Amino acid sequence: MFTKLFKASKTSFVILNVLYLSLLLGGALYALKTFSSYMDIYEKAILLSSVGFFSWLGWNWNHFKKIIILVFALSLFAIQLYSGVLTNNEQVFLLKYLLSSQSAIMWMNVFFVLALVLYWLGLLAKNKLLDDIASSFTSIAILFGFTGLLVRWYESYLIGLDIGHIPISNLYEVFILFCLITSLLYLFYEEKFNTKKLGAFVLIVINAAVGFILWYTFDRHADGVQPLVPALQSYWMKIHVPANFIGYGAFSIAAMVSIAYLLSAKKILASYLPKLAVLDDLIYKSIAIGFIFFTVATILGAIWAAEAWGGYWSWDPKETWALIVWLNYAAWLHYRIVKGLRGTVLAWWALIGLIITTFAFLGVNMFLSGLHSYGEL
Amino acid sequence: MSFAISMLVFLGIASIIGTILKQNEPYENYIIKFGQFWFVFFEKIGLYDVYQSIWFLTILLFLVISTTLCVTKNSPIIFKDFLLFKDSLEEKSLLSFTHHLVLKNRKKVSLSRVIDYLKQEKFKVREKSKDNGDILIVAKKGDFQRLGYIFTHVGVVVICLGGLLDGNLFFKAQELLGYKKIETLDIPASKVLEVSRLRITNPSFRANMTLAEGSSDNVAFVRKKDGYLVQDLPFKITLKDFRIEHYSTGMPKSFESDLIISDPELSQDIATTITVNHPFTYKGISIYQSDFQDGGTNLDVKLWNLLNSSGSQKINAKIFEKIKLDKDQLTYEFNDFRKFNILNLKEGVKEKPRNVGPSVTYKIRNNSGQAREYISYQLAMLIDDRPFFISGMRETPQEEFKYLKIPADKNGSIAEFISFKEALQNKILIEMVAKKMTNRSVKSDNNSSVKQSFEDSVNKIMTLFVEGGFSNIAQNIDNNIPTNEKEKAVQAYLKIIDIASIELYKNYFNLSDKEIDQSAIRFIQESLNAYSDMFLFGSPYYFELTNYEQKEASGLQLTKSPGQFWVYLGSLSLVLGIFSMIYLHERKLWLLIKAKGGAIIAVSSNRKNIDFELDYRKVSQAIKKIIQ
Ligand code: HEM
């Protein structure tokens, strides 16, 4: 009986992997074949390396693989429904209410809000079932979010061949990216540390971003697709921006876990939350991963700047604030590793780190002017 | 160490200054902002170019030095550790490890099983027999983690040094020693003296040049403080053509310059096209598309006299040139021409901005030197669905433009307004209209004194309006009418102006009553408003752009940056270093198999964290299982 089950799960495992890989490879080859005349050598390299990156992620993390397969399926389905006609998003029922990018993103918002509520109920009621539902809702939100972004990518080309571009080029789009990356990263830790108790905290920052998306959509009507200004027409954008957001997401998680740590250290909710040592370790791990990606992102930004502005470093406010964020976390890591500092001080510091990061991400756009051409509020 | 960390924090805080205060602005802006006293003070402490100031560079230098010292101190230890298996440890020292396990008894197993297990766990293993018959197994893994430390910190140092190479330390030294001087006068590049020129051999620079279409040059300008330096180039650049493409929404889609590079060392010129994000590099100098401006567009202009009926005069102007109208002692200075203007005309309403066509900005300076700034749009714009010709005026650059809106006629031209204006300014016509109105309004033809006074009032009110617009009327009412009747007087005056103007319009253009429809009445009212606003316009002329021949100029940036390679190399080293430091886990393990029976397992790592605890438990339990 056991061996049978084992065998079954093994075959399904193999099937899943084969399906996943063939989807990734098939998609990339199709894109290469169809659009190769639109891509330069760098873009092809990026496409192929992203196949590598996603396979690696999927290989190491089964849950991610499942989400990606579903995202592929849903997006292809939506594209099928569009069949090349943009106005179908008003005509076709499933598009209008479920899969057009704006609807899908609204569903993402809804599920993130629900997940936050359920995570808190689960935490306070110490109820595992509620935790599990909250976690699934987070996955569903991610599913909708990625589908929404992919469909938006497609829609942008329907608006105009010269307008189409990857949907990570204005504040509306990158906020969605932020929600997705942060929640994915969180789900990864959830599985690795085997605790769903921290969702209640991490989902707070995600819901803050959801609030921003809603405000931006309904008050500012800034959710439309805008064509790219010349400075943004670069393949570097495709890696610089996501890398940055992995950094931002990881730093946010560190700050949220720090809140849990500080409460727990004051004996508030302590019996509901994982042990302090686990929280402490999680804060370190998120900052470490954030630091790597943020370093890479800043370097990519410099390489891009060298190409767009004629210098790898111009002390533009956004650049400079990226440096400030980076120096801050470098100092944090040194205190922890070299001086062996642990606990409350570092948790406070990680929390303040998020304030600095948020300023670098949003404040600079709002209060300072510079060369960075997107994200004016 | 604390010193180094403080440097990190300090550098961060210092960096903030330059993001709050806009850097490298023209000095006048700072004087306006801070006043003379603070301006000089801030200049002294280098706040206008923080990142090149001595104190900022000093912090950076300290960071480089302390990191270098840190690396030189730690590297030998790390290298030794990397190469060495510490196989001389005695039982006593193993027992002093925080993580060790003492096994009292053990099976008689061959050691190869333990070694196989360790190898399977990716350990590198050494085995040593001691004199007393004990066997010590030394194993380690993840030792690249320690090398990561070197990669990271050497990376930081290399990046900083690369950056310094491209910075302006070299120039600063020359300036201090008096070899170089910043030029502050606005003179042609060829007249700039040797002390303010940078040679072709200058190893690193970031300079700008502006080329009009069809022109060429072999010097660029480096902006510094309140002046500039001239950078000689080893080749000549010609701008053949500059193009802007637009999306259907009107947003710019691409900026492109067709360049020809002529190098005396080459038998043939190089033709190339650069766009944003796609520079061209030749002889170590990269040429970037950085901005664009007008390159001296030719303009055909009609100046319509607004204040009297002397018609118009034609002038041929060119952007960046001046024209003096001797008659009025006014000088026109033409500053900019734009072929496209993307505006959102409906304020507060969410509407797609659209292209409203060409515009010219210019200044009008009177003979006492005062100037007002103007912007004139060539084409009529629809405002609330009515077409207007728009010109803006402001007294200082800080202000918003105030607009004069002249209604366009049915043919989309300014002609009808001009005619109507001239009718208004024609005294005889006004008197005739006044008479007509009087005859119509005052029925009793016997009461001639009433008639006369009505006619006089119409004449007076119209004259007031013609000579100074609505504000003149308001002033007159303020001065002559008691407060409690003002409201009524305003109504009456306005009504008279309205009726008289309609009458005037009808007569002047020979129209029947039927032809004065709703749209004609609106045109008249709009004309009256425009007429009244003329008096606030500050210029006696309406500026009509009749034709133009556009000439654009491309803004190029030229960069020579020998440090770039080192910065990139340092970055690579930094990333590899951080990655190995964070993701490789260094583990060392000793297993002492004692000849007398029993064994000791000791494990160490340079990071004592949860992962290490887990690893320790796993490995030690596994070994215990094998040998006990
Ligand atoms: C801009 C300057 C610096 C940067 C960006 C930097 C970066 C880093 C990073 C990323 C780590 C690894 C943290 C981790 O493993 O999670 C680290 C560790 C370390 N840094 Fe720095 N560092 C800098 C300057 C310095 C200086 C000046 C010193 C010494 C005075 C120093 C000493 C150390 C030491 C001893 C470690 C720990 C090595 C280990 O135990 O493996 N660092 N640094």
Side-chain angles (χ1 to χ4, degrees), chain A residues 284 291 326 334 337-338, chain B residues 4 8 67 70 149 153 581-582 607:
Chain A
Y284 164 70
F291 191 70
W326 189 77
H334 278 92
I337 286 167
V338 185
Chain B
L8 290 182
T67 312
C70 186
Y149 164 84
H153 295 82
M581 261 168 117
I582 292 180
R607 297 282 159 79

Side-chain angles (χ1 to χ4, degrees), chain A residues 189 192-193 281-290, chain B residues 583 611:
Chain A
Y189 285 132
K192 189 164 170 215
F193 284 76
D281 195 49
L282 191 52
I283 296 173
Y284 164 70
K285 289 215 163 88
S286 334
I287 287 191
I289 195 168
Chain B
Y583 282 98
D611 290 337

Side-chain angles (χ1 to χ4, degrees), chain A residues 162 228 233 306 309-310 312 339, chain B residues 2 166 247 253 288 557 559:
Chain A
D162 60 346
L228 284 184
Q233 297 164 11
W309 301 333
Y312 50 82
K339 308 226 104 177
Chain B
S2 294
D166 286 341
Y247 291 107
K253 180 170 158 184
Y288 298 85
Q557 177 164 232
T559 316

Side-chain angles (χ1 to χ4, degrees), chain B residues 185-211:
Chain B
L185 297 178
D186 191 8
I187 50 175
S190 54
K191 297 250 167 65
V192 172
L193 296 178
E194 189 55 35
V195 281
S196 302
R197 296 188 90 93
L198 300 169
R199 299 279 180 72
I200 291 175
T201 49
N202 181 17
S204 95
F205 58 82
R206 230 169 136 171
N208 293 293
M209 74 195 282
T210 303
L211 283 178

